[in-house]
Structure formats: structure tokens, C-alpha cells
Amino acid sequence: RTPICDPYARAELSSLSLAHRRPHIWRALIEAIALGTRDNMRNLFHWLSQDKSAVNIPPLPVCGGATRSKFFLQTHANFLNSSVVVQHSNAPMIGAAALAAACLYFREDKSNSKLTDKRHRESLRRLTHNWQLSPSVIDVIEPNHDEAAQLEDLFPSNIQSMDLNLVQVSASLLAADTGFLVNDAKVAHKAGAWLHIDICDGSTFSRFALSSLGPASIKALRQAIPDAYLDVHLAANDPYRHFSALAASGANRVTVQLEAIDDIERLVNAVQHAFILFGCRFGLALAPQTPIESIQRFLDAGLDIDLINILAVEPGTGGQLLQKHVLDKLTLLATRYPHIPFRQIDGGLNPSNARAAVLAGANVLAAGSAIFTTNYQRKNSLSSSVYRETSIANAVLDLQQGGGRPLDFFCSDEKKKIRKGGRGRSD
């Protein structure tokens, strides 16, 4: 429901005294909801408006159960400094009933279509008639402008950039410990990351790197983590032969190394087949020296490209430093091809340079060493599984926040004691 969604956000109640009672807690909760509504709406109108200085919110239509609380409505009007237009409280229920009736029409047997049509038209007519009997606007709650001004001083607007908040981390299993592969993948997934799987066959397209992961590994990961997003990068000779096998194994997307493609027609057939049968999406990966214009011929061939992976290092080997010139390619990609939804940068990323990549245009950050080979893990190769899991989870969150303060990901008392004891990753 909101244009800004931070699943790791936390709230707190401060300045409580013995004089506070239950109604004060409820009021604080209602005011926090109203403040969130205001900031989300202002962000939304800020992004949609041509005039970026305008943050005024138009009258807000409200329906459903919230319309039954005058205090709830007045608090929203004051925080928004705008009118709240109260509509029929049963509007969502009536709309759902009308939609259900329309859906039933398409599911029923059409052998007696005239009778079916007549019955459904009558049902929809009755719903519409009942709706028209009720007033469309029941009340209008006007804001208290003096209180609205005070609230604005206490809680100034928080206009944020959508591009900086919609960033996805893709954890590269190339850098994970093969002895803990599934466990590490589960921790990274739980922290909100995609699982990035590099498949290399030792050809020139992977700079002669050879990986031990393949369709069987993807199938095992899919079985172990059914709801994981498996982001597969294929750097191999004759990629058309492997595309369907990877899709059938459970890959959500297969990103093919562009330099390995020499037959677009075979590629189109493989991509369409994989999407129809398995819903697998298609992406293109570009080596650091490959110009961004190289993707045009694939677009001209009618391929639906879901993601462009800009490699910031040479493919096949982890632990390399990011080549800064690829940031210009990201900016060019975002400018020339805005319709491609995902712009991934892959390799050499860490919390200190993640923000520069996002500012250049990336919205997917693929990283391995920064997540699975942290300083803590290097010094404690024999560390317990709890320490290792905490380190991986914090690394994902640090990368997501571009070097921000790590959040307590685990909630059990035992794991919190580890964090507080200073023996794990430091804050």
C-alpha cells in the first residue's frame, strides 16, 4: 500500500512516565499511523508531480472500517493538513461482492448462456441499486490548521528518493562456503537477498573459470528454499542448450553472457520455451569492456529482457576490485533503456561503494565476498554456526543500506547476547 517499504524498520515508544496510561499508548499508535500516511502520500505526490516543491495533499477519500472512528479520521486530517472525505463504510465489501459476481460469470457453464447472462445481470443490478441508495459521501472531516502547523513543526516531511529505496541485494553463492552452501543460502534469503548463482563451463566467456554448480544444484536449492528467488548467471559456450535445463530446475531468471551468443534465433526459441513452460525470465550480462549499445540487436529481435547485468569485474572469479568505469555504463543503461526493469551491477561491491552504484542507476546489487567472506569470518574460520549466520545476515543488511548501521536481524535471546557481548560482528 505504500510507495516506501522498509521491512527492517523498527519503532519505539520514548519519554514514557508513570503517569502515562493505556489511552496514551493508543493515541501514540494512531498518530504514528497518520504520520506514516502523510509521509507516504507526500512522497507519492512528490514523485508524480512535475513541481517537486509541491507537497500539498488533496482531499483524501476514506472508506471501510476506519470510517467509524472520528478520532482516527480527525488525526489523519490534522497530520495531512487536508480534508478527509468519508465514504460508505461498506464500499470495499460491496466492490468485492461485485467482483466476485463478475468472476463467477466467467467460470460457469455457458450451455445455457441466456439464463446465465440474465441471472448475473440481475445480481449486478441489485448490487448497484443498493449502492446507489447509500450516499457516496457521508461526511467531510476538516483539519484543525493550528494543530496541523504544530504537527508539521514536530514532524517535518520526509521526502525520499524512490530509486534509493528500491534496491535489491543478490547474494552470489560463488563466494559461499560449499560445505555450508544451503545453510548460507537460507540465511541470505531470510535477510531479503536473491540467490545469485554463477554457472561457468571453463570457456573463454567465463575467462576459463569452472564452477561446480549446475542444474542439480539449482534443483536442490529450490527444494531446500521453495520461495527463494534464484538469479542464475550463465557464462558458458552454447548457452541455448543449457537454458531450458536451468529453467526446469527452478531458476527464476537466467542471465546469459552476451559475448557467448552467436545465434539470436536459437536464443529466442530457448527463452520463449522456458518462459511458456516454467515462467523463467531472461537477462543479459555484459563484460566490463562490452558497450551498452550491444543489447540493441536483442531488443530488435523481440526478446523481453527482464534484467541487464553490468559486470564490474571479469567473469568467473570472486574477490576482484570494482572497475569504476562501468558506473558510466549503468547511467547510460538507465537513460537509454528505462523500460528494462532491473539494472544489476555484479562484482567488487561492498557497503562503501554500493551507494555510488545505486546513484549511477543500479537497483540490483550482486555481491559475494562482501557477504560470505567478511573480516569476522576470515579471522574465525572455525566459528559456530550462530556467529556465521549473524555475520552473513548483517553483511546483507549493510549492503542493502549502503554502509548504514546493521539492524538486529535475529531475535532470540541467545543470539542477542552474542551481539551484545562484542564477540560477533561489531556495530
Side-chain angles (χ1 to χ4, degrees):
R1 296 185 180 182
T2 64
I4 297 176
C5 185
D6 182 1
Y8 305 109
R10 297 293 182 269
E12 66 177 14
L13 289 170
S14 60
S15 303
L16 290 176
S17 71
L18 295 176
H20 288 101
R21 295 292 182 265
R22 185 178 299 176
H24 298 106
I25 305 298
W26 277 110
R27 176 164 186 151
L29 176 62
I30 297 299
E31 289 180 344
I33 294 172
L35 179 61
T37 302
R38 187 203 68 179
D39 277 355
N40 284 319
M41 292 193 66
R42 285 189 178 176
N43 274 285
L44 183 61
F45 283 104
H46 174 77
W47 293 323
L48 295 176
S49 174
Q50 297 295 326
D51 181 8
K52 296 303 179 185
S53 63
V55 292
N56 294 329
I57 299 174
L60 175 67
V62 179
C63 59
T67 61
R68 295 169 184 160
S69 171
K70 291 288 187 180
F71 177 73
F72 185 87
L73 298 173
Q74 187 63 59
T75 303
H76 271 75
N78 292 341
F79 267 92
L80 299 173
N81 198 16
S82 180
S83 303
V84 172
V85 180
V86 182
Q87 298 182 332
H88 198 287
S89 62
N90 292 328
M93 182 180 66
I94 294 173
L99 181 62
C103 291
L104 283 172
Y105 167 75
F106 291 105
R107 289 177 60 88
E108 287 197 5
D109 183 12
K110 296 296 189 299
S111 58
N112 194 355
S113 59
K114 289 185 178 180
L115 180 60
T116 301
D117 290 347
K118 183 178 180 180
R119 185 168 66 249
H120 281 86
R121 281 201 302 271
E122 179 61 23
S123 298
L124 289 174
R125 188 194 66 77
R126 286 200 300 270
L127 279 171
T128 305
H129 178 69
N130 292 337
W131 171 253
Q132 289 174 342
L133 288 178
S134 303
S136 58
V137 176
I138 298 175
D139 196 4
V140 177
I141 309 298
E142 298 294 345
N144 182 321
H145 295 292
D146 292 336
E147 187 170 343
Q150 294 177 9
L151 291 171
E152 190 66 40
D153 291 337
L154 287 172
F155 308 103
S157 293
N158 182 25
I159 302 296
Q160 301 183 32
S161 167
M162 179 178 285
D163 291 337
L164 294 181
N165 283 277
L166 299 180
V167 177
Q168 175 66 48
V169 172
S170 192
S172 178
L173 299 184
L174 183 68
D177 188 331
T178 53
F180 297 91
L181 186 65
V182 171
N183 182 70
D184 286 2
K186 285 182 177 179
V187 176
H189 165 66
K190 190 176 180 182
W194 291 350
L195 301 182
H196 187 83
I197 304 161
D198 290 293
I199 297 179
C200 309
D201 67 347
S203 64
T204 56
F205 308 112
S206 61
R207 291 183 64 84
F208 309 107
L210 187 64
S211 68
S212 59
L213 299 179
S217 306
I218 295 173
K219 185 175 181 179
L221 285 167
R222 174 59 66 208
Q223 291 175 344
I225 320 172
D227 57 339
Y229 194 94
L230 302 184
D231 178 31
V232 178
H233 173 206
L234 176 61
N237 192 25
D238 196 12
Y240 336 100
R241 185 164 55 92
H242 307 294
F243 200 100
S244 293
L246 295 172
S249 299
N252 293 96
R253 180 194 298 109
V254 176
T255 300
V256 179
Q257 197 64 38
L258 180 144
E259 297 79 15
I261 302 170
D262 57 6
D263 190 335
I264 292 184
E265 185 175 349
R266 285 184 65 192
L267 178 68
V268 170
N269 291 336
V271 170
Q272 291 178 345
H273 180 266
F275 180 73
I276 292 172
L277 291 184
F278 310 108
C280 182
R281 306 294 298 183
F282 167 69
L284 279 174
L286 280 66
Q289 304 305 325
T290 301
I292 199 67
E293 294 81 8
S294 302
I295 71 172
Q296 187 60 52
R297 60 192 178 104
F298 297 94
L299 294 170
D300 293 340
L303 279 167
D304 182 12
I305 301 175
D306 185 54
L307 175 146
I308 296 293
N309 182 1
I310 303 294
L311 298 184
V313 298
E314 299 302 330
T317 307
Q320 302 177 59
L321 296 178
L322 182 143
Q323 300 181 26
K324 293 184 179 180
H325 69 87
V326 303
L327 299 180
D328 295 333
K329 288 171 62 176
L330 272 170
T331 303
L332 200 60
L333 172 65
T335 303
R336 293 191 179 181
Y337 305 99
H339 62 283
I340 298 176
F342 296 106
R343 300 179 295 276
Q344 184 177 76
I345 183 169
D346 184 356
L349 287 168
N350 56 61
S352 63
N353 61 22
R355 188 171 183 83
V358 173
L359 289 172
N363 56 14
V364 181
L365 308 176
S369 299
I371 295 174
F372 297 107
T373 317
T374 63
N375 289 330
Y376 170 74
Q377 289 170 350
R378 292 193 193 100
K379 296 176 183 177
N380 299 271
S381 58
L382 299 179
S383 60
S384 70
S385 60
V386 172
Y387 290 138
R388 181 177 180 82
E389 291 174 4
T390 305
S391 183
I392 292 172
N394 282 325
V396 172
L397 297 178
D398 280 356
L399 195 61
Q400 176 81 43
Q401 299 168 17
R405 182 180 182 278
L407 300 169
D408 270 327
F409 178 72
F410 294 99
C411 298
S412 70
D413 293 338
E414 178 185 356
K415 293 173 182 176
K416 284 187 176 181
K417 288 177 183 177
I418 292 172
R419 288 294 300 277
K420 291 178 180 178
R423 295 162 56 196
R425 186 189 179 286
S426 65
D427 288 344

